[in-house]
Each structure stands twice: as C-alpha cells, then as structure tokens.
C-alpha cells in the first residue's frame, strides 16, 4: 500500500511470517529474526542459548526464564569491580563459589531465596552480579517455586527493587514483566506503573519482554503506562538492533495513541496539524487522503462500508482496505461489545496480523478462517523461546468476535460464520491444554470471552 500505514506488518504485505516460519521449519539463520520475538537478529539474541528443536505440537507452552543458571565464569577475585566494591567482603576462593552453587541447586526453593537475599546483602558491585549470572538464578526460581508460591517470588522481586535497584536493573525487563503479570492477575494493575522507570531510560535496549509487557499493559487497559513504554521503546530502537518489523510494530502501537487523542480532540484543524507533526516524529507521514480514511474508520465515521470486492487481489489498495476493515472491527468491539478502546485496539491489531498470515495470494476471500494457517500462526507465537503466549491467547480470544463482526456487516455468511467459530473453539481447547497451569496467567482476559464460545479454561 502507499504511505498510509507506518508498519509494513500493518500494510498487508505479508511480512509477519518472520516470527513463526523459522520455528516450524527448524531452520534459523544467523541473520534471521530471532524466534523469541524480540525483533532482533538471531545472532544478536538467542544464538548462544539452547538450540532450537522441532515443536512436538502446533501449540506448546514454554518456560518463562531465558535459560539455566551459568557457573561463575572466573575467579571471584578477577570479576571486574569486586575488589573495589565498598563496602564488601573479600573475594572468596573458587572452591567456595563452586560449593555455593552446589548447595544452591540442592536446597529447597525457600532456601534458594534466602541464599540469593544473602548474596544481595553483601553489597557487591553490579559487575559481580552480572558475572555470577544472578539474573539467571532469579529467573529460574519460578520453575522451582510453582504457582502456589508466586506471591513469595514477587515479594522477593519487590524487595530487590527496593534494596538493590542497581541489581534489579540488570534484569529489569524480565523482572518488571513478571511483577506486572502478578499485579494484573490480582487486580492491582496500577502497581505496575512505578516499575516502568527502569525501562524508560534513553539508553535502555528494548528486548523481547518489553514487547510482551506492552501487550500486557494494553490488554490490562493501562493507557498512560502503555503509551509511555511504547514511545520510550521507539526512542530506544535506534541502538537496539531491532528487525524492521519490530520497529514498525512499535510505531503502529504509537499511531493508535496519536489517532485516539486527535479523535478525542474532535479532529479539529489544530488537532490534525498536531497529529501530523507527531506522526512525522515517529517516521510516519501518510498522505492526507489516507490519514483521513484511517481516522474516519477508527471512529466509525466512514462514508462507505468496505465490501469483499475491495479486499480481493494483492494490490496495495486491497491491503489498505483490509487494514481499514480492521479499524472498523476495533470500533465495533468498543461500541457493540463494550471493550475499552485500548483493549479493542490490541485485539484488533492481533486479529489483523493473524488474517494477514492466513491471506492467500489469490482473489479468494481473504477473510476466510483457515484452521491450519491459524494454527501455524499461533504456533509461532507459542514456539521456542517465545514470550508471546499472551498474544496467542488474545488473538484466539478475539477471532470469534471478528467472525461476529464480519457477519454483522455481511462479509461472512452463516455457514462461514459457524465454521469460523468451530475452528476457534477447537484451537482454544488445544491452546488451553498446551498452556496447562500457565493458562491462569492470562485469566484476566476472560472478561472478553465471547458468550456461547471459547468459555473453557
């Protein structure tokens, strides 16, 4: 399409396949997008971590931590900064650190926390905790603690944030994400806001947990928090070695906030002029015609409905029309299903990406729900090292709403509507089974389940 939509992933170009295909095909090149979804190249992200393996099923839950804890790489006395840490104990012998690791692996989860707490109390320099892989040890804890002790784990992270913010900052993107999930799941989502300062610094390098955290904040309807993190990640993207589609996705997230605020201001001449200036700052400069169309479809003021003929083929205009139809869906979610605008935008975006993944290179109906293609897309979100399980759940939860929307605007007949709902219900059961106990992590979304479908947990 022309310059209307800032993100290539939002423009109907089919570039979304970069995440999932490498996982399913079990072939990942050094310069391919990393399958974890960070938006970085594989060689600069997860190349040195556990090697990829073929998925045993099309949807598979993954551990939350990035990998096992490493042994200390060198003598504690040779760790940069340790001998100069003030105050701090003398460095220990190598054998003592080996013994520490042996005892740590063997002890109970509660004692592991006590050992980590004692290590924090030694007041070592941050370089020591980096060399000791303290972040990895902390991130492995949930596997030992289990769901029943999540509160203990979160309390430890809170304690670390308060007592050793310098060490907390070493793994802030993972720690903040874990704490935000716990807060959202227990109705304390506003407590996530004070933690974001760790991630807003200009020098921060946006990583995969940040993308998932933005998704979480949007789906938890935290407007200001998700807005600030989105724009911070855009500013940081210049030095983060992100893949182009990852930058595009951040820009698309930002576009919603700018569009929404212009619409709330009444789309006045002043509001539109401000909007154009702000869009230019994030390298998004659509034509006046395209911008007008996007705003009209976002707020339900379009002068004509998108028809099936508008979507056929592979032209740029057909891709843009599909994007406009997704904006109609977002507005419909808010008006007809009473979904908050920010949550509706996230669901709209996820459904659109799924539709692009399934779209055929032909003149056949691009809105048809293909079970194998949707299954493959979800597998990419759930695959090796991925931190996008939330997006998989939200995508599949939104698809039945999308089928209802298409039926309401007569773009899906009764037979296609029934088939689409059946496919979503079958995949939902498989996804919930693959998630297992981890499904409770996403239970806060159950309020958006479509009545009559997708009711199982």
């Amino acid at each position: 399409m022309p310059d209307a939509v800032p993100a290539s992933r939002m423009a109907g170009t089919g570039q979304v396949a970069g995440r999932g295909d490498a996982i399913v095909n079990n072939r990942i090149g050094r310069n391919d997008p990393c399958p974890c979804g960070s938006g970085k190249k594989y060689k600069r992200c997860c190349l040195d971590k556990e090697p990829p393996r073929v998925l045993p099923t099309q949807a598979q839950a993954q551990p939350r931590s990035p990998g096992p804890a490493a042994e200390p790489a060198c003598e504690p006395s040779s760790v940069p900064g340790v001998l100069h840490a003030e105050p701090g104990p003398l460095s220990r012998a190598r054998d003592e650190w080996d013994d520490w690791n042996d005892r740590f692996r063997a002890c109970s989860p509660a004692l592991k926390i006590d050992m980590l707490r004692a290590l924090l109390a030694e007041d070592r320099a941050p370089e020591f905790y980096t060399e000791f892989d303290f972040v990895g040890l902390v991130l492995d804890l949930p596997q030992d603690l289990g769901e029943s002790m999540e509160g203990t784990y979160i309390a430890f992270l809170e304690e670390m944030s308060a007592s050793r913010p310098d060490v907390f900052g070493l793994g802030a993107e993972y720690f903040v994400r874990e704490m935000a999930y716990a807060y959202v799941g227990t109705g304390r989502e506003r407590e996530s806001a004070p933690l974001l300062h760790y991630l807003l610094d200009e020098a921060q390098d946006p990583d995969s947990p940040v993308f998932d955290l933005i998704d979480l904040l949007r789906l938890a309807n935290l407007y200001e928090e998700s807005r600030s993190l989105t724009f911070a990640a855009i500013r940081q993207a210049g030095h983060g070695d992100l893949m182009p589609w990852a930058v595009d996705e951040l820009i698309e997230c930002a576009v919603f906030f700018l569009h929404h605020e212009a619409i709330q201001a009444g789309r006045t001449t002043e509001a539109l002029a401000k909007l154009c200036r702000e869009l230019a700052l994030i390298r998004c400069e659509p034509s006046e015609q395209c911008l007008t169309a996007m705003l009209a479809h976002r707020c339900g003021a379009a002068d004509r409905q998108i028809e099936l003929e508008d979507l056929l083929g592979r032209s740029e205009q057909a891709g843009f029309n599909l994007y406009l139809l997704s904006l109609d869906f977002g507005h419909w979610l808010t008006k007809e299903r009473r979904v908050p605008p920010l949550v509706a935008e996230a669901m709209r975006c996820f459904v659109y990406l799924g539709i692009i993944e399934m779209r055929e290179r032909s003149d056949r109906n691009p809105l048809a729900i293909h079970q194998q293609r949707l299954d493959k897309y979800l597998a990419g979100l759930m695959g090796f090292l991925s931190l996008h399980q939330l997006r998989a759940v939200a995508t599949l939860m939104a698809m039945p709403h999308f089928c209802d929307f298409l039926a309401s605007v007569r773009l899906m007949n009764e037979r296609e509507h029934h088939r689409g709902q059946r496919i979503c219900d079958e995949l939902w059961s498989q996804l919930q089974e693959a998630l297992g106990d981890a499904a409770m992590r996403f239970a806060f979304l159950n309020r958006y389940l479509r009545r009559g479908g997708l009711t199982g947990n």
Side-chain angles (χ1 to χ4, degrees):
M1 66 181 272
D3 58 351
V5 184
S8 59
R9 297 184 75 201
M10 302 295 166
T13 61
Q15 296 182 20
V16 67
R19 282 188 180 173
D21 287 353
I23 302 169
V24 175
N25 295 331
N26 197 28
R27 297 190 300 270
I28 308 175
R30 288 172 57 82
N31 291 312
D32 288 339
C34 186
C36 75
S38 66
K40 298 182 180 181
K41 294 181 180 180
Y42 182 50
K43 66 183 180 183
R44 296 189 180 276
C45 192
C46 295
L47 177 61
D48 295 326
K49 298 180 182 178
E50 182 182 354
R53 52 188 179 272
V54 178
L55 291 177
T57 64
Q58 279 291 83
Q60 174 175 318
Q62 296 294 324
R64 285 182 279 177
S65 62
E71 294 284 348
C74 57
E75 296 280 348
S77 59
S78 67
V79 176
V82 170
L83 292 180
H84 305 287
E86 294 293 345
L90 294 176
S91 59
R92 299 170 181 170
R94 171 77 181 213
D95 289 344
E96 188 173 351
W97 287 119
D98 288 343
D99 179 63
W100 190 98
N101 274 283
D102 290 340
R103 287 187 290 109
F104 183 83
R105 292 191 189 95
C107 71
S108 68
L111 287 179
K112 284 184 177 180
I113 291 180
D114 288 340
M115 291 180 70
L116 292 173
R117 185 179 288 117
L119 200 59
L120 281 175
E122 291 189 3
D123 200 21
R124 301 269 188 167
E127 292 84 357
F128 165 79
Y129 296 96
T130 298
E131 293 293 336
F132 199 76
D133 193 26
F134 188 87
V135 170
L137 296 177
V138 174
L139 291 175
D140 281 340
L141 280 175
Q143 300 177 36
D144 296 327
L145 294 172
E147 296 294 328
S148 63
M149 294 186 66
E150 182 185 41
T152 302
Y153 178 62
I154 298 303
F156 173 69
L157 294 181
E158 292 171 336
E159 179 184 329
M160 178 165 52
S161 175
S163 64
R164 291 302 304 272
D166 55 340
V167 180
F168 186 94
L170 298 176
E173 65 271 22
Y174 283 97
F175 298 152
V176 171
R177 173 179 173 268
E178 291 299 304
M179 295 168 75
Y181 267 102
Y183 294 154
V184 169
T186 54
R188 299 180 293 152
E189 53 270 11
R190 292 295 174 186
E191 294 183 33
S192 304
L195 300 171
L196 296 184
H197 74 89
Y198 285 103
L199 308 177
L200 302 181
D201 187 86
E202 194 75 30
Q204 180 74 22
D205 184 358
D207 207 344
S208 48
V210 172
F211 284 85
D212 187 53
L213 181 58
I214 290 174
D215 286 350
L216 175 64
L217 295 176
R218 291 199 293 171
L219 290 168
N221 198 32
L222 296 174
Y223 187 96
E224 292 300 330
E225 291 80 358
S226 57
R227 189 187 196 282
S228 62
L229 186 55
T230 295
F231 281 92
I234 289 176
R235 293 191 298 270
Q236 298 156 0
H239 62 79
D241 196 29
L242 296 180
M243 298 294 291
W245 64 258
V247 178
D248 288 343
E249 183 170 308
L250 290 173
I251 291 175
E252 179 65 15
C253 290
V255 163
F256 162 76
F257 295 108
L258 300 181
H259 281 187
H260 180 73
E261 289 154 15
I263 291 171
Q264 292 295 102
R267 291 189 289 167
T268 63
T269 302
E270 294 78 9
L272 293 179
K274 178 183 177 184
L275 171 61
C276 289
R277 291 194 300 271
E278 292 174 328
L279 289 174
L281 290 176
I282 59 173
R283 303 179 301 282
C284 171
E285 300 181 78
S287 67
E288 181 178 351
Q289 180 181 5
C290 290
L291 179 58
T292 300
M294 287 189 284
L295 291 175
H297 282 267
R298 276 198 188 276
C299 66
D303 55 5
R304 64 178 294 270
Q305 178 183 309
I306 300 293
E307 304 289 344
L308 180 59
E309 290 74 17
D310 300 323
L311 308 173
L312 301 180
R314 302 295 298 177
S315 69
E316 291 184 343
Q317 187 58 51
F320 185 44
N321 290 335
L322 186 57
Y323 180 80
L324 294 178
L325 181 67
S326 78
L327 298 181
D328 291 338
F329 170 55
H331 176 75
W332 180 88
L333 274 177
T334 298
K335 181 180 178 182
E336 300 296 330
R337 296 287 158 90
R338 299 295 187 266
V339 177
L342 182 59
V343 180
E345 167 62 13
M347 289 185 161
R348 186 279 310 172
C349 176
F350 300 159
V351 164
Y352 177 73
L353 295 176
I355 292 297
I356 290 299
E357 177 74 6
M358 294 184 289
R359 192 181 185 196
E360 290 185 294
R361 296 181 179 274
S362 70
D363 290 336
R364 296 176 62 185
N365 184 358
L367 302 177
I369 306 298
H370 295 271
Q371 182 164 2
Q372 290 184 341
R373 291 175 183 164
L374 180 56
D375 192 6
K376 181 180 179 181
Y377 177 66
L378 295 174
L381 297 176
M382 294 284 293
F384 172 74
L385 289 177
S386 174
L387 292 177
H388 290 286
Q389 290 92 344
L390 172 63
R391 184 171 294 198
V393 173
T395 297
L396 196 50
M397 186 177 287
M399 276 291 180
H401 292 291
F402 185 61
C403 291
D404 290 347
F405 161 72
L406 293 178
S408 73
V409 296
R410 300 182 180 179
L411 287 176
M412 181 175 279
N413 61 38
E414 183 176 352
R415 180 179 62 83
E416 292 169 334
H417 181 248
H418 177 74
R419 178 175 176 272
Q421 299 289 1
R422 177 181 55 78
I423 288 173
C424 291
D425 283 340
E426 290 177 0
L427 290 178
W428 180 259
S429 297
Q430 296 175 28
L431 184 64
Q432 297 297 294
E433 182 178 355
L435 287 169
D437 292 340
M440 291 303 299
R441 189 175 178 86
F442 315 116
F444 72 96
L445 287 175
N446 288 349
R447 73 193 77 174
Y448 304 120
L449 284 169
R450 174 186 178 272
R451 292 183 179 180
L454 295 181
T455 55
N457 272 330

